[in-house]
Amino acid sequence: MATRRVKIFSLFERFWHWSQMLLIVALLITGFGLHGFHDLFTFEEAVTLHTSAALALLLLWIFSVFWLFTTRTWRHFIPSASGMWGVLRFYSYGIFKGERHPYRKAYWRKHNPLQALAYLMLKIVLFPAIWITGLAYLFYFAWRDVPHATQWLNGVAVVHTAAAFMILAFVLIHVYMLTIGHSFREHVMPMINGFDEVDLTPEEEAYLSKDQPGDIR
């Protein structure tokens, strides 16, 4: 097993990541404005910006889901019980003793088991919750005549806000994780140039060197 620098994040993944980050930040800022936490925008401006960013993010998610399934990259987001305990132990105990991270990135699995579980929950629970409730809120005019519509709308708003705060918590934890272990720059660079250190089998190293020489250093 050799450790080489390999391109594991494609151009689309990097575009997806940074575009998603910018849109989520825009949604959080305008969302806080709508709830009266600041007065950077008028209410009407905040609604327009929030709705525009939400629709752009929804479009990005549709493309990303299509890309995940057509490239079979979805496999990176399936958590595995193997190695999970080691990662949990590292983040709850070993990290404070300066131990080495127990997970080594593989070409076929670039996320550790805890990362994969967190990203999967984000994609199949939090993201659907935020856009389903967001669309229900946006198109309230279409179902406002159903019985108890006002009570339903209050429930939709509560779920939407709760999901937004959980996504904010995910973002804060995500940024915090970039500050531990390696330097912040070392954590961020793979999502800029696509390359990260990966353990390769002799077969994978030979394949990349011969067929994809631009993806290995």
Side-chain angles (χ1 to χ4, degrees), residues 71-130:
T71 62
R72 303 190 70 192
T73 316
W74 56 269
R75 293 175 297 174
H76 290 280
F77 297 94
I78 302 301
S80 167
S82 176
M84 179 68 83
W85 170 245
V87 175
L88 286 172
R89 181 193 171 281
F90 172 76
Y91 284 120
S92 60
Y93 175 77
I95 192 170
F96 301 108
K97 297 191 68 177
E99 294 180 4
R100 186 188 187 201
H101 199 293
Y103 185 76
R104 304 296 298 165
K105 281 188 175 72
Y107 185 59
W108 51 273
R109 183 174 284 278
K110 52 194 169 191
H111 303 307
N112 71 51
L114 188 59
Q115 274 182 305
L117 179 62
Y119 292 150
L120 183 66
M121 291 300 102
L122 190 69
K123 293 178 187 308
I124 68 172
V125 178
L126 284 184
F127 282 172
I130 199 85

Side-chain angles (χ1 to χ4, degrees), residues 3-39:
T3 301
R4 299 285 300 272
R5 293 192 64 78
V6 178
K7 184 185 283 184
I8 59 172
F9 296 111
S10 68
L11 183 61
F12 175 75
E13 281 179 291
R14 286 173 275 152
F15 167 77
W16 168 23
H17 177 272
W18 294 114
S19 301
Q20 180 172 265
M21 183 207 73
L22 291 173
L23 289 169
I24 287 177
V25 169
L27 285 165
L28 288 170
I29 292 173
T30 52
F32 279 121
L34 290 170
H35 284 273
F37 284 90
H38 62 74
D39 54 0

